[in-house]
Amino acid sequence: RLPHFGGSRRGHEITKALVDIRSQFDGYVNKLHALEYNIFDVKTSLWHEDFNTFKHAVKDLEVVYANVLNAAFENVTQVSEAISLLEIFNELAKRDAVIRCVEKK
């Protein structure tokens, strides 16, 4: 469940972008889950290829997340609004790259 972002249109856009990121991530995880070969078979390199594809996709999502974070701060004019956004994004940040992006704000 996502926290509530203030502002009618802008808050809705941020929420939609984050939901889209989550949906894409879920799709990537589902692709890994649906693999039809034994991932423990050391004689095949398919797992390494599929997992590398997954890792690159997740890194791309981190970039998208950073862009959403930066866009959220574009029109912030009040300190209280900035603090609220920082608290929300800090709560959502789980990966190191995303955490560093929040900390830079």
Side-chain angles (χ1 to χ4, degrees), residues 28-96:
Y28 298 140
V29 170
N30 288 337
K31 283 182 183 177
L32 280 183
H33 190 265
L35 295 175
E36 295 185 3
Y37 57 84
N38 182 356
I39 64 171
F40 298 112
D41 184 355
V42 295
K43 295 178 184 175
T44 181
S45 65
L46 293 174
W47 169 249
H48 296 288
E49 294 168 15
D50 289 330
F51 191 70
N52 278 333
T53 300
F54 173 78
K55 286 193 314 185
H56 291 295
V58 169
K59 287 184 183 207
D60 290 344
L61 289 179
E62 289 174 348
V63 171
V64 173
Y65 186 93
N67 290 338
V68 170
L69 180 128
N70 289 328
F73 281 89
E74 279 180 2
N75 297 320
V76 172
T77 58
Q78 298 178 359
V79 172
S80 61
E81 186 180 1
I83 290 171
S84 177
L85 284 173
L86 281 173
E87 288 174 344
I88 290 170
F89 280 108
N90 190 50
E91 181 182 326
L92 295 174
K94 304 297 181 209
R95 295 186 49 87
D96 289 339

Side-chain angles (χ1 to χ4, degrees), residues 1-5 10-28 30 61 64-65 68-69 88-89 92:
R1 182 145 156 46
L2 289 175
H4 175 72
F5 289 91
R10 190 71 177 151
H12 177 72
E13 290 172 358
I14 295 168
T15 301
K16 182 183 179 328
L18 293 175
V19 167
D20 290 346
I21 290 170
R22 177 59 190 249
S23 177
Q24 289 177 343
F25 177 78
D26 288 344
Y28 298 140
N30 288 337
L61 289 179
V64 173
Y65 186 93
V68 170
L69 180 128
I88 290 170
F89 280 108
L92 295 174

